[in-house]
Amino acid sequence: MKITKEEVGYVAHLARLEFSDEEKEKFTSQLNDILLYMEKLNRVDTTGVEPLTHATFLSNAFRNDEVKPSLPHDLSMANAPEERAGSFRVPKVIE
Amino acid sequence: MELHQLTIHELQKKLRGGDTTSVDVVESVIRRIDAVEDRIHSYITLMKDSAREEARRADEEIRKGNARPLTGIPIAVKDLICTKGIRTTCGSKILSNFIPPYDATVVEKLRDAGAVFIGKTNMDEFAMGSSTETSHFGVTRNPWDLDRIPGGSSGGSATAVAADECIASLGSDTGGSIRQPAALCDVVGMKPTYGRVSRYGLVAFASSLDQIGPFTKDVEDCAILLNVISGYDPRESTSVQVEVPDFTSFLSEGIEGWTVGIPKEYFIEGIDPEVEAAVRKAIGVIEGLGARCVDVSLPHTEYCLAVYYIIAPAEASSNLARYDGVKYGYRSKDCRDLMEMYKRTRSEGFGMEVKRRIMLGTYALSSGYYDAYYKKASQVRALIKRDFDEAFQSCDVIMTPTSPTPAFRIGEKMDDPLQMYLSDIFTISTNLAGIPGVSVPCGYTAGGLPIGLQFLAAHFAEEKLIRIASAYEKHSKIEKRRPNL
């Protein structure tokens, strides 16, 4: 076993997801199959190999620090599920 | 031939020559959509009214002598490319009500080239899938056999072209999502080099892998569309400032004297015998064009799938953290506090495959596992890229099957994620290495299902793909069929 049902519950919390008991069972078994398949990477000797995080020659893309027009406030808010006074409204954060 | 069956380059001539109008072309495409769409389901959102209006304006422009490359031609766009004022859902419940306040760069470029937008195409939710079965809006069916999947994730973009419900379309390719459905639906599909096409306004899945590319009815159209969408974009920090050649100028250049690499690792156990036979036959065609086919080795091929299914979910788990019900999209009702709102919104808004990948990615990045999974995968990724760099020292282009099998049946792999992931086994390496690839039709199985042939080239060598794909298309002598709908 690479991952237990309890760990699936913990990872779900980290990912801000929640599952029924039945879904947790199913995920535990499927994620174990997938993680077992990933084991094959341990056969590759990667000593001294620099990790590749993206595949072109670019490093940092700098630009001048100039103020340019951005999305107008009303358009930024246009898709808000709930809005009040030009701000995003959410349920209370603390008791 | 009906107008909706024609290619971009055929319509360019007819429109400019006054033989037809954009209004007629758009009406022909709309009649075709009305006739077949309920069986195929290529589209999430149709844009018939605005397309008619854009066609009228296109005809005025043509009359004034202002025809641009796509003026008056109906194009479809995958529903993860933002279109200002037009719902963009990503195939997901969580974005089912999202109206982008801006256009993606590729949409601006299509508009500037005169395109008429006909609709937003169906896709696997957040582009996670190989069959277009995970869309919140229902499955898309393969026009060649309605009981089979069209491939994915850009299934709707492939079927819309294959069934003549548009003239050409755009999709996105993170691990094969353009090339695999192109192969399964008998159309041309290209994933350009990472950095060639701006992704500003493309909803992100795996940022180090995603690329936008065209679906077309032939290679000439692929070159035309690639001309339109390529180029540096200051708004997209991974787009690269390199010269964009006129890709149509390479269509007749041929491949005399070229060396074409055939990687032995791509002819594995499990590949469908009819697929293998079609690709072996294509090798003969390529040799007949004056190229030399040689064996090359890409020794880390067998690790591509494992690397991909660590890196792509890891990046996805981070990219999809933004869907929290606060700023846009679906929000769960009547939640007591913020945490409950986050969890219920995301659990109700995402489908199972997306949740599976978020879980996998979150686990791979979580404390204690980062080195074992993400770092290890990124190191093996470097070796996979090195394999390609070395192979392209000794050959111009690499040639492989696009998909190990023809289209499989709807539902066949839905309960076995690992089997589903294996359908991308020949396309994933391209994204990991960042190189361009194209799939072109290369024949049919005895049962009449399309088979695709894939060409790969070094970074920013798309013109080589256009040259070989065009030469192959002209000389393969494959009788062009149309799906019987």
XYZ file of all heavy atoms in Angstrom, chain B residues 407-452:
334
model
N -10.171 4.239 -32.495
C -11.141 4.680 -31.480
C -11.739 3.498 -30.737
O -12.154 2.519 -31.348
C -12.246 5.477 -32.177
N -11.764 3.596 -29.402
C -12.384 2.534 -28.615
C -13.838 2.877 -28.302
O -14.315 3.967 -28.631
C -11.569 2.215 -27.355
C -11.135 3.419 -26.545
C -11.929 3.938 -25.546
C -9.894 4.030 -26.791
C -11.527 5.037 -24.795
C -9.481 5.131 -26.053
C -10.301 5.642 -25.056
N -14.535 1.899 -27.691
C -15.973 2.083 -27.468
C -16.252 3.021 -26.289
O -15.502 3.033 -25.318
C -16.660 0.732 -27.211
C -16.715 -0.107 -28.461
C -17.508 -1.395 -28.282
N -17.386 -2.180 -29.494
C -18.068 -1.913 -30.618
N -18.961 -0.945 -30.641
N -17.872 -2.636 -31.691
N -17.340 3.742 -26.393
C -17.766 4.620 -25.299
C -17.972 3.767 -24.047
O -18.598 2.713 -24.111
C -19.054 5.375 -25.693
C -18.727 6.403 -26.787
C -19.700 6.047 -24.482
C -19.933 7.064 -27.423
N -17.401 4.221 -22.936
C -17.553 3.508 -21.662
C -16.493 2.450 -21.398
O -16.306 2.026 -20.252
N -15.768 2.055 -22.456
C -14.835 0.923 -22.341
C -13.762 1.127 -21.265
O -13.388 0.187 -20.571
C -14.183 0.708 -23.706
C -13.425 -0.572 -23.866
C -12.850 -0.724 -25.286
O -13.565 -0.406 -26.256
O -11.684 -1.136 -25.405
N -13.236 2.342 -21.128
C -12.101 2.559 -20.217
C -12.426 3.493 -19.054
O -11.532 3.928 -18.345
C -10.906 3.105 -21.012
C -10.481 2.148 -22.114
C -9.214 2.551 -22.813
C -8.928 1.532 -23.917
N -7.687 1.753 -24.611
N -13.718 3.809 -18.872
C -14.072 4.819 -17.877
C -13.795 4.372 -16.444
O -13.575 5.191 -15.563
C -15.540 5.227 -18.018
C -15.775 6.261 -19.106
S -14.796 7.763 -18.890
C -15.908 8.724 -17.849
N -13.801 3.067 -16.175
C -13.594 2.615 -14.805
C -12.150 2.210 -14.529
O -11.833 1.714 -13.458
C -14.541 1.437 -14.488
C -15.961 1.935 -14.319
O -16.115 3.096 -13.883
O -16.902 1.193 -14.648
N -11.282 2.396 -15.515
C -9.889 1.986 -15.349
C -8.972 3.125 -15.796
O -8.529 3.171 -16.940
C -9.626 0.728 -16.179
C -8.270 0.118 -15.842
O -7.438 0.818 -15.215
O -8.049 -1.048 -16.208
N -8.714 4.075 -14.873
C -7.961 5.279 -15.265
C -6.615 4.955 -15.905
O -6.233 5.600 -16.881
C -7.778 6.047 -13.956
C -8.399 5.258 -12.876
C -9.166 4.135 -13.490
N -5.926 3.925 -15.414
C -4.591 3.624 -15.944
C -4.672 3.183 -17.412
O -3.866 3.604 -18.242
C -3.921 2.546 -15.077
C -2.392 2.528 -15.071
C -1.792 3.895 -14.809
C -1.903 1.541 -14.020
N -5.680 2.362 -17.750
C -5.882 1.950 -19.143
C -6.187 3.163 -20.028
O -5.705 3.275 -21.149
C -7.038 0.939 -19.258
C -6.610 -0.500 -19.014
C -5.426 -0.900 -19.902
O -5.443 -0.712 -21.116
N -4.384 -1.428 -19.274
N -7.011 4.087 -19.490
C -7.331 5.305 -20.233
C -6.047 6.100 -20.481
O -5.812 6.580 -21.592
C -8.336 6.140 -19.445
C -8.786 7.413 -20.131
S -9.861 7.093 -21.539
C -11.471 7.112 -20.740
N -5.204 6.228 -19.444
C -3.983 7.026 -19.575
C -3.064 6.432 -20.656
O -2.342 7.144 -21.334
C -3.214 7.097 -18.240
C -3.978 7.770 -17.109
C -3.515 7.717 -15.799
C -5.157 8.464 -17.354
C -4.208 8.321 -14.761
C -5.862 9.058 -16.314
C -5.389 8.979 -15.015
O -6.083 9.570 -13.995
N -3.098 5.095 -20.825
C -2.217 4.440 -21.791
C -2.554 4.814 -23.241
O -1.728 4.619 -24.135
C -2.278 2.913 -21.614
C -1.455 2.374 -20.437
C -1.873 0.945 -20.086
C 0.037 2.407 -20.744
N -3.757 5.369 -23.493
C -4.065 5.765 -24.877
C -3.220 6.954 -25.335
O -3.172 7.260 -26.515
C -5.558 6.031 -25.085
O -6.174 6.452 -23.926
N -2.539 7.617 -24.403
C -1.700 8.771 -24.767
C -0.218 8.411 -24.862
O 0.636 9.287 -24.918
C -1.842 9.881 -23.710
C -3.237 10.444 -23.661
O -3.902 10.451 -24.698
O -3.664 10.871 -22.573
N 0.077 7.126 -24.897
C 1.463 6.687 -24.715
C 2.415 7.198 -25.800
O 3.593 7.404 -25.543
C 1.498 5.142 -24.570
C 2.826 4.674 -24.034
C 1.140 4.436 -25.860
C 2.741 3.380 -23.272
N 1.911 7.453 -27.019
C 2.789 7.915 -28.095
C 2.816 9.438 -28.247
O 3.535 9.976 -29.083
C 2.374 7.304 -29.442
C 2.485 5.802 -29.490
C 1.619 5.057 -30.264
C 3.467 5.141 -28.763
C 1.723 3.674 -30.312
C 3.570 3.752 -28.806
C 2.689 3.019 -29.584
N 1.977 10.132 -27.513
C 1.877 11.586 -27.695
C 2.454 12.379 -26.531
O 2.817 13.546 -26.697
C 0.398 12.004 -27.898
O -0.408 11.354 -26.928
C -0.083 11.636 -29.296
N 2.536 11.752 -25.356
C 2.936 12.458 -24.139
C 4.366 12.990 -24.183
O 4.653 14.101 -23.729
C 2.755 11.498 -22.942
C 1.323 11.560 -22.455
C 3.711 11.802 -21.829
C 1.016 10.549 -21.390
N 5.282 12.207 -24.778
C 6.703 12.575 -24.754
C 6.937 13.930 -25.427
O 7.806 14.697 -25.002
C 7.513 11.492 -25.460
O 7.019 11.308 -26.772
N 6.153 14.216 -26.467
C 6.265 15.474 -27.201
C 6.086 16.666 -26.264
O 6.842 17.634 -26.314
C 5.156 15.526 -28.276
O 5.077 14.254 -28.902
C 5.414 16.588 -29.297
N 5.055 16.594 -25.413
C 4.774 17.690 -24.485
C 5.855 17.791 -23.416
O 6.246 18.895 -23.029
C 3.412 17.502 -23.824
C 2.296 17.406 -24.845
O 2.149 16.383 -25.504
N 1.538 18.468 -25.007
N 6.333 16.631 -22.938
C 7.372 16.661 -21.910
C 8.632 17.317 -22.461
O 9.323 18.050 -21.759
C 7.681 15.241 -21.418
C 6.550 14.559 -20.635
C 6.893 13.090 -20.389
C 6.302 15.274 -19.302
N 8.938 17.065 -23.751
C 10.142 17.638 -24.360
C 9.891 19.030 -24.929
O 10.846 19.729 -25.279
C 10.666 16.708 -25.456
N 8.624 19.424 -25.070
C 8.297 20.766 -25.576
C 8.385 20.904 -27.088
O 8.279 22.006 -27.614
N 8.550 19.782 -27.797
C 8.742 19.840 -29.254
C 7.392 19.838 -29.982
O 6.363 19.520 -29.389
C 9.610 18.653 -29.743
C 8.971 17.311 -29.351
C 11.026 18.763 -29.160
C 9.687 16.099 -29.929
N 7.386 20.182 -31.282
C 6.128 20.148 -32.037
C 5.849 18.761 -32.619
O 6.779 17.991 -32.875
C 6.386 21.149 -33.168
C 7.859 21.068 -33.419
C 8.488 20.754 -32.082
N 4.557 18.476 -32.821
C 4.149 17.209 -33.425
C 2.876 17.397 -34.221
O 2.068 18.283 -33.914
N 2.707 16.574 -35.251
C 1.493 16.665 -36.057
C 0.976 15.262 -36.332
O 1.772 14.332 -36.493
C 1.750 17.433 -37.388
C 2.702 16.684 -38.306
C 0.449 17.761 -38.106
N -0.348 15.088 -36.327
C -0.943 13.817 -36.740
C -1.651 14.010 -38.061
O -2.401 14.982 -38.232
C -1.942 13.327 -35.683
O -2.533 12.102 -36.112
N -1.393 13.094 -39.002
C -2.076 13.141 -40.300
C -2.740 11.783 -40.555
O -2.265 10.750 -40.079
C -1.096 13.465 -41.467
C -0.563 14.876 -41.330
C 0.047 12.471 -41.524
N -3.840 11.782 -41.309
C -4.517 10.521 -41.621
C -3.598 9.570 -42.386
O -2.862 10.002 -43.268
C -5.692 10.958 -42.512
C -5.940 12.385 -42.138
C -4.584 12.946 -41.819
N -3.616 8.280 -42.045
C -2.770 7.326 -42.781
C -3.497 6.028 -43.089
O -2.878 4.973 -43.206
C -1.430 7.120 -42.108
S -1.274 5.834 -40.902
N -4.820 6.089 -43.251
C -5.551 4.908 -43.677
C -6.646 4.510 -42.696
O -6.950 5.255 -41.761
N -7.235 3.346 -42.949
C -8.387 2.897 -42.170
C -8.210 1.426 -41.810
O -7.558 0.674 -42.529
C -9.672 3.062 -42.991
C -9.876 4.475 -43.481
C -9.339 4.882 -44.704
C -10.571 5.413 -42.718
C -9.510 6.193 -45.163
C -10.744 6.716 -43.163
C -10.203 7.100 -44.384
O -10.361 8.393 -44.815
N -8.809 1.027 -40.686
C -8.839 -0.391 -40.335
C -9.844 -1.097 -41.253
O -10.635 -0.440 -41.942
C -9.298 -0.599 -38.879
O -10.665 -0.138 -38.781
C -8.435 0.173 -37.903
N -9.819 -2.427 -41.210
C -10.786 -3.191 -42.012
C -12.215 -2.802 -41.630
O -13.118 -2.812 -42.462
C -10.558 -4.680 -41.804
N -12.395 -2.436 -40.363
C -13.713 -2.025 -39.902
C -14.051 -0.580 -40.233
O -15.098 -0.075 -39.824
N -13.154 0.121 -40.933
C -13.452 1.481 -41.382
C -13.136 2.570 -40.378
O -13.638 3.687 -40.501
N -12.302 2.281 -39.371
C -11.924 3.328 -38.412
C -10.615 3.988 -38.848
O -9.692 3.312 -39.300
C -11.747 2.734 -37.016
C -13.007 2.165 -36.361
C -12.638 1.462 -35.056
C -14.030 3.269 -36.106
N -10.529 5.325 -38.707
C -9.320 6.038 -39.134
C -8.093 5.695 -38.293
O -8.200 5.371 -37.111
C -9.692 7.516 -38.939
C -11.165 7.554 -38.760
C -11.569 6.241 -38.206
N -6.926 5.791 -38.937
C -5.632 5.588 -38.274
C -4.787 6.840 -38.507
O -4.835 7.414 -39.599
C -4.912 4.354 -38.854
C -5.753 3.088 -38.622
C -3.515 4.180 -38.246
C -5.244 1.864 -39.361
N -4.021 7.243 -37.479
C -3.209 8.457 -37.605
C -1.719 8.169 -37.557
O -1.272 7.231 -36.898
